[in-house]
DNA sequence: ATGAAAGCGCTAACAT
DNA sequence: ATGTTAGCGCTTTCAT
């Protein structure tokens, strides 16, 4: 009775139409719920569809309508607490609005980002949420936007790109965190940024020229906030307290070791994300350094384990899930045709004081 | 010069063909790298594509070839360490083989699983990796498989389903873990399963009937392994030591509170996943229970924080990433046309002893 | 309210 | 080696 159905288990619109004794156009109208169809006909078509186990071919539909009801998400690493929580916000929101999510990891590598973006574009996603690599050119993003596919930037702002951005005020958050450390009496404060040596280079030169340009990146902004606080307190920034040698946990571990090996090791460390915090904690454990007695640790992002490590970590919290939600909503609005010029949402951060910071021990 | 390009930024094959002065077929061949094309023509086409910023429409291609080069992943929660690590294994593998990943969360809700699977099927994914909800019917999975789309089961085995499975030997792993606790002298061992009350009901009845059927689920298998060890040691399982009231951290926290409120609280707890471990740890902290002095804790899955919480957690490790890789490879093989009957991969677990377990304190 | 027919952008025979 | 010609399954005018 139904040929195609037997081949690949798929009945098509013509099959349904024939079974219901109507034209494909009518069947499509009945199924798609548009146009006008007499109730009795409608029912007949629906029944036929039911009987045949008909499932519309979304691909064919997309080809015509031009919409795939799919968004692409390009992030550096799903395993990073910030991204995975945000991703959950994105997927939940997308889902509730009838969109699917295509996922791609970049591991902070520009090349992977490029190919991911290009592949997603080829898949005709209706839009993308991307957390752009901290440096490098943005031609690929620009092209996508130019071709009419909206992009919303997550976490990181890119100057000169016609894209909405959702994140926090990184500079301010870092300044506040640093100030808290300062108020405790710390003067030797190091930052473990998880950034790349290149970024570091531009940030540590005497005049700090280029900080403004770099404030387009998270690391740059936070480093700038750190500098703001130090400067205001009349403290000179020491290049050796500026660590930026990779975003992985192992990178952080070795960087903190280096820090603690310094003739004048820092009395406090500000970690720029939860992976870096974990690395610092691991280093402390390896050296039997007591925290906060020997050194204070303040981190970004309230990971699920932050209150259960020892000592419980004091953190600057970003509303990770909400950032994802907001980013997705912005994107969906754009996809829906919203026109206004790019907006940059800055969600509020919260300072959660636990016990990993305390007054410095000078020795 | 290029009409379509101006409308939606998209040049089509005919555009490229015309620009290169060849037929669409030739252009397609040159671009697709199949058939035979003279080198000079090839170059001309490629150049034209470059100039026009041509991007093949994957949808149109998929409609014909019937392959979308996309796999769907249906898991309960990306935020669970096990799933996110596995997901990374899946995406990395898929990527390297030219497949994209469509993601869906189910939160262990059968209804969400059904709709996710159905949506992915409608998107014509070439296959799916799914971690099925612990209970309920599997008609939706069966239908997908019947329609010719292969499914590989992650973590959980479902009897009577023609699908490959990749996971560990849960029963054995749980038995070994329990035996370790037993060898330390514990007799009052509780399990925090993260399962549902329904599953628990079936497992705690005196005769334990139904355990076999339930061994199709992770919780069921692990509970069975726990029972195996207890039985072999001549210890009667106490229903009150069997906790199953939700998979979330909060659930675990309150369950462990309940456990510790018992007239005879357990001297050791076996947590069935890292979220449950986190919950137990949190409860301990809330009650100032010292671990392992007051109670031992042994968990499944070596989350990134496991060695940094206090006390460092003793765990049974699953090769999470590798499980994802294996699942994806199996799936890709099936998609590639492999026929053999369903295989059930069981990857090896490793016992990592840290300091959260010790001899019981009888009091 | 319904049908006929023209595509969407591409691939795949089948010719040449 | 290249071109011609059907479609894939659906939506969408334009008739009727």
């Amino acid at each position: 009775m139904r040929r195609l159905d037997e081949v690949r288990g798929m009945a098509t619109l013509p099959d349904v139409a024939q079974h219901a004794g109507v034209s494909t156009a009518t069947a499509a109208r009945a199924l798609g719920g548009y146009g006008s169809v007499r109730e009795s006909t409608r029912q007949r078509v629906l029944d036929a569809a039911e009987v045949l186990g008909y499932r519309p071919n979304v691909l064919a539909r997309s080809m015509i309508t031009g919409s795939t009801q799919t968004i692409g998400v390009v992030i550096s690493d799903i395993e990073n607490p910030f991204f995975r929580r945000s991703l959950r916000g994105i997927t939940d929101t997308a889902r509730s609005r009838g969109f699917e999510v295509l996922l791609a990891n970049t591991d902070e590598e520009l090349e992977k980002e490029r190919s991911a973006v290009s592949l997603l574009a080829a898949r005709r996603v209706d839009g993308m949420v991307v957390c752009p690599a901290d440096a490098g050119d943005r031609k690929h993003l620009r092209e996508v936007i130019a071709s009419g596919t909206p992009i919303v930037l997550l976490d990181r702002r890119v100057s000169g790109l016609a894209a909405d951005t959702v994140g926090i005020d990184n500079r301010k958050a870092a300044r506040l965190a640093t100030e808290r450390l300062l108020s405790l009496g710390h003067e030797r404060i190091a930052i473990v940024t998880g950034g790349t040596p290149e970024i570091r280079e531009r940030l540590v030169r005497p005049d700090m020229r280029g900080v403004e340009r770099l404030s387009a990146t998270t690391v740059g902004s936070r480093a700038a906030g750190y500098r703001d606080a130090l400067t205001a307190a009349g403290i000179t920034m020491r290049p050796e307290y500026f660590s930026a040698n990779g975003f992985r946990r192992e990178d952080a571990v070795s960087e903190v070791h280096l820090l603690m090996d310094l003739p004048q090791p820092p009395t406090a460390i500000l970690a720029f994300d939860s992976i870096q915090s974990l690395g610092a904690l691991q280093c402390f454990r390896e050296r039997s350094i007591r925290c906060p007695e020997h050194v204070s640790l303040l981190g970004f992002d309230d990971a699920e384990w932050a209150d259960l490590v020892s000592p419980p970590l004091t953190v600057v919290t970003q509303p990770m899930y909400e950032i994802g939600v907001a980013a997705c909503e912005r994107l969906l609005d754009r996809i829906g045709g919203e026109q206004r010029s790019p907006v940059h949402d800055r969600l509020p951060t919260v300072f959660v004081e636990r016990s990993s910071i305390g007054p410095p021990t000078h020795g």
Side-chain angles (χ1 to χ4, degrees), chain A:
Chain A
M1 180 168 277
R2 28 191 160 124
R3 238 163 313 121
L4 284 166
D5 198 5
E6 284 170 297
V7 180
R8 222 264 178 187
M10 284 303 156
T12 69
L13 226 195
D15 294 337
V16 176
Q18 186 187 335
H19 192 99
V22 296
S23 71
T24 60
T26 302
R29 283 190 271 257
L31 259 12
Y34 60 94
S36 33
V37 185
R38 198 190 312 152
E39 183 50 33
S40 62
T41 325
R42 230 181 73 83
Q43 221 23 269
R44 209 145 27 92
V45 174
L46 261 37
D47 288 349
E50 174 73 40
V51 170
L52 300 180
Y54 170 75
R55 306 212 136 277
N57 186 326
V58 189
L59 297 172
R61 174 178 297 160
S62 292
M63 261 189 62
I64 297 171
T65 63
S67 141
T68 54
Q69 295 290 107
T70 305
I71 65 171
V73 174
V74 181
I75 56 185
S76 66
D77 180 17
I78 2 164
E79 298 203 65
N80 178 305
F82 174 78
F83 292 121
R84 67 179 187 242
R85 202 81 246 286
S86 302
L87 176 58
R88 197 61 157 90
I90 295 172
T91 53
D92 285 354
T93 309
R95 257 309 160 100
S96 74
R97 297 246 231 137
F99 280 74
E100 297 293 313
V101 171
L102 224 30
L103 179 66
N105 294 108
T106 65
D107 294 316
E108 302 285 353
E109 293 170 32
L110 190 57
E111 210 31 72
K112 285 195 190 174
E113 177 179 312
R114 268 203 206 94
S115 90
V117 166
S118 145
L119 278 165
L120 292 175
R123 303 249 152 169
R124 299 297 197 269
V125 293
D126 294 337
M128 301 184 200
V129 173
V130 3
C131 175
D134 247 352
D137 83 311
R138 272 66 188 252
K139 185 159 162 264
H140 52 299
L141 301 180
R142 204 159 277 125
E143 282 176 355
V144 169
I145 295 174
S147 83
T149 303
I151 287 183
V152 168
L153 264 23
L154 192 74
D155 184 46
R156 297 166 195 175
R157 191 158 160 181
V158 171
S159 45
L161 201 63
D164 297 330
T165 310
V166 179
I168 61 167
D169 186 336
N170 284 298
R171 186 163 183 163
K172 184 177 155 201
R175 179 168 55 73
L176 259 29
T178 309
E179 283 172 357
R180 176 75 186 98
L181 257 12
L182 252 13
S183 78
L184 245 22
H186 291 278
E187 299 198 332
R188 306 200 321 244
I189 305 173
I191 51 177
V192 182
T193 68
T196 57
E198 298 76 56
I199 292 187
R200 183 178 177 286
E201 258 170 51
R202 273 184 285 179
L203 284 167
V204 296
R205 44 204 217 184
D207 55 359
M208 288 287 279
R209 264 190 308 121
V211 154
E212 283 65 36
R213 229 170 312 134
L214 279 172
S215 74
T217 73
T218 307
V219 170
S221 303
R222 293 184 184 171
Y226 161 76
R227 182 200 57 175
D228 292 346
L230 252 39
T231 307
I235 295 174
T236 312
M237 200 184 110
R238 308 192 193 192
E240 67 270 30
Y241 284 173
F242 192 128
S243 149
N245 201 24
F247 67 97
R248 286 184 210 79
R249 175 166 165 181
E250 312 82 80
D251 302 327
V253 175
S254 54
E255 284 298 295
V256 176
H257 270 299
L258 253 33
L259 247 22
M260 302 314 291
D261 283 338
L262 251 24
Q264 287 222 311
T267 60
I269 290 176
L270 177 58
F272 276 17
D273 71 42
S274 54
I275 306 287
Q276 310 301 308
S277 299
L278 227 32
L281 249 15
Q282 180 180 334
C283 170
F284 293 171
R285 178 150 299 189
E286 288 171 4
R287 302 173 77 111
S288 304
I289 290 179
R290 303 240 319 266
C291 170
E293 291 82 353
H294 297 164
V295 55
S296 288
L297 178 62
L298 201 166
F300 269 83
D301 296 344
D302 198 18
E304 74 272 24
W305 42 259
D307 59 334
L308 293 175
V309 288
S310 77
L313 201 63
T314 295
V315 295
V316 178
T317 306
Q318 309 188 54
M320 309 184 273
Y321 184 85
E322 290 73 17
I323 288 176
V325 171
C328 192
E329 280 175 347
R330 281 259 171 266
L331 183 62
L332 263 20
D333 288 350
R334 291 285 176 190
I335 291 172
E338 198 187 71
Q339 286 300 347
R340 119 182 72 134
S341 61
V343 294
H344 302 285
D345 291 339
R346 296 269 159 243
L347 275 57
T349 57
V350 176
F351 192 87
V352 181
E353 179 133 7
R354 288 195 272 249
S355 29
S356 66
I357 65 174
T361 324
H362 293 288

